[in-house]
Amino acid sequence: MVMSEDIYKDIAQAYAAAAGRAPGLKSRFAAAGFDPAAVRSLSDLSRLPVMKKEKLLKLQRANPPFGGFLAANLRDVGRIYVSPGPIFEPSLLGGGGHGLDLLFRSANVGAGDIILNTWMYHLVPAGLLFDEAAQAAGATVIPGGVGNTELQAQIIVETGVTSICASTAFFLTLADKVIETYGRDAWKVKTAFLGGEMGDWMAKRRRIEADYGVSTWAAYATADLGLVGYEDGGDGYVVHPDRVVQICDPVSGEQVAHGEPGEVVVTARDATWPMIRFGTGDSAFALESNADGTVSRISALQGRVGAAVKVREIFVYPRVIEEVVIGTPGAKAAQAVVTRENDRDMIRLSLVLEDGADASAAETAAAETFKLHARIRADEVSIVSELPENAELIINQKDG
């Protein structure tokens, strides 16, 4: 794929106009001495420091809900998504599930296909984006959402589902339930669109393809940007034509050499929700690059470069643990430890309480506060006498 030079012209026009409508964006440009209208090339664009998701989170807390970054009228916002943090993402009218239809078309899934979409439909964008994208590609969608394994297995058999959108773990649960309940011949699913994982995920997918007779597909998308890249049968992800993707040093923001791992930094051509030099916090490397050094094909994700830890498909931020301390009567400190046991992510909270605090009430409050902000349940809450000074709020021991 050849990067069109017009994309820089479009970025210059779009972000110059957006700065006049979004005071947060204007402040970001002013602080960097950056003139978006002067962007003609990647080197011009790269003069703007990378903005981390954690920075956007702080700006939104200081100036809710969008941190002064919405460059459109509220009436043009179709939905507001709430990602863990919480980070508010306005969803403007964007065709094809904000680019995800490219994934379905790549997999030749469309008219005549019945898709069971098991991604979550509330707060986070996954469910609705996959739904819109599948319909844009011409397919019929059953909005299954999460859970209800027996019912969803019955739906697969009785409606003739040909494709499933799911996390790898839930796909396996559904497939096994169909085969166990209705027999191997009842399993007619041909395609699976699976959620991204780290590590030996491709090996797991090859096993799934062999064991269940499906082809598996995935995309790299974020709530802030929509689709960043999608699979086309080759290695990694082909970058969306309306995205400028760079692989950068997560500390300096400088672009790294082709093939070296770094943070995925993305600029969207459209600026109504102005994501320019936005650090995703994901680590990957370039498989193919354009002449100007931007990435045209990105590797599978290598992990997170930031402080967030992915737990059961949800990124949990250190801020969530701070909220647990704030929301728990008598709490002085807290820490979360994430482990992986029997192919399941586990997260356990440790609390330090003031003398005389009600331990039972604290455990209940901490569990409820964590669930409210992280939108997943903690597997365990325990009271400890102390934590190390300046202890990390969240520790990832999944790979240990």
Side-chain angles (χ1 to χ4, degrees):
M1 187 185 82
V2 177
M3 174 68 72
S4 166
E5 290 183 9
D6 289 345
I7 198 166
Y8 297 111
K9 190 188 302 178
D10 292 348
I11 285 168
Q13 292 176 348
Y15 286 87
R21 306 186 69 183
L25 181 67
K26 186 176 182 179
S27 296
R28 181 184 170 201
F29 289 161
F34 180 79
D35 179 9
V39 170
R40 297 287 181 272
S41 66
L42 181 66
S43 59
D44 293 337
L45 179 64
S46 298
R47 292 193 179 103
L48 181 67
V50 173
M51 184 169 79
K52 304 281 189 179
K53 186 170 282 205
E54 289 78 10
K55 175 69 172 174
L56 179 60
L57 182 62
K58 285 179 181 170
L59 290 168
Q60 289 193 351
R61 289 293 81 73
N63 182 17
F66 301 122
F69 278 80
L70 181 64
N73 293 318
L74 194 58
R75 66 170 177 265
D76 297 323
V77 176
R79 299 187 183 100
I80 296 173
Y81 293 118
V82 186
S83 290
I87 293 177
F88 298 111
E89 290 114 355
S91 174
L92 292 108
L93 304 172
H98 293 271
L100 263 173
D101 61 314
L102 294 172
L103 173 66
F104 289 96
R105 297 180 201 281
S106 183
N108 290 316
V109 170
D113 281 295
I114 299 175
I115 297 178
L116 177 65
N117 181 22
T118 72
W119 290 112
M120 197 185 299
Y121 273 75
H122 62 275
L123 293 180
V124 294
L128 285 158
L129 286 189
F130 271 95
D131 192 309
E132 290 173 357
Q135 289 192 61
T140 300
V141 181
I142 300 170
V146 182
N148 296 315
T149 304
E150 289 82 3
L151 175 59
Q152 298 217 48
Q154 181 183 351
I155 289 167
I156 290 167
V157 173
E158 294 187 0
T159 64
V161 165
T162 58
S163 180
I164 294 175
C165 299
S167 69
T168 310
F170 193 49
F171 172 85
L172 289 169
T173 299
L174 284 174
D176 290 342
K177 179 59 71 174
V178 168
I179 292 166
E180 170 195 316
T181 308
Y182 301 96
R184 191 68 172 78
D185 289 347
W187 176 253
K188 309 287 191 189
V189 176
K190 297 294 176 212
T191 320
F193 298 93
L194 300 177
E197 295 181 15
M198 310 302 175
D200 70 342
W201 189 46
M202 293 310 293
K204 190 184 290 184
R205 284 174 57 183
R206 297 291 89 86
R207 288 196 299 274
I208 287 171
E209 291 178 342
D211 292 348
Y212 299 96
V214 298
S215 63
T216 65
W217 298 80
Y220 173 36
T222 76
D224 319 273
L225 295 151
L227 185 78
V228 177
Y230 63 97
E231 291 184 346
D232 66 346
D235 290 340
Y237 303 108
V238 177
V239 170
H240 188 302
D242 289 338
R243 310 282 183 261
V244 174
V245 172
Q246 300 170 271
I247 306 295
C248 298
D249 182 291
V251 178
S252 70
E254 296 287 321
Q255 193 162 312
V256 301
H258 176 89
E260 285 187 18
E263 182 172 21
V264 181
V265 173
V266 186
T267 299
R269 189 192 292 255
D270 177 71
T272 44
W273 178 233
M275 295 291 101
I276 177 170
R277 292 267 288 163
F278 184 74
T280 61
D282 294 316
S283 173
F285 54 90
L287 291 170
E288 295 173 11
S289 295
N290 298 304
D292 67 357
T294 55
V295 180
S296 57
R297 187 180 289 272
I298 189 175
S299 75
L301 301 185
Q302 307 300 295
R304 293 290 289 173
V305 299
V309 178
K310 196 173 191 180
V311 184
R312 302 195 289 274
E313 302 296 326
I314 291 285
F315 285 116
V316 178
Y317 283 81
R319 177 69 188 163
V320 171
I321 314 307
E322 293 177 345
E323 294 286 358
V324 168
V325 177
I326 294 167
T328 302
K332 286 199 299 187
Q335 184 181 67
V337 176
V338 181
T339 57
R340 190 156 180 85
E341 299 166 29
N342 300 320
D343 283 333
R344 185 178 186 274
D345 290 346
M346 306 286 284
I347 185 160
R348 295 178 172 88
L349 299 179
S350 297
L351 291 176
V352 180
L353 301 181
E354 305 278 1
D355 290 341
D358 183 332
S360 177
E363 288 177 5
T364 301
E368 289 175 356
T369 305
F370 179 83
K371 185 184 173 192
L372 174 67
H373 289 278
R375 296 202 318 285
I376 56 173
R377 293 179 189 274
D379 294 284
E380 184 181 302
V381 180
S382 57
I383 308 300
V384 297
S385 57
E386 61 179 2
L387 287 166
E389 200 171 338
N390 299 320
E392 290 179 54
L393 290 164
I394 184 165
I395 296 176
N396 183 5
Q397 293 182 347
K398 285 204 290 186
D399 304 318

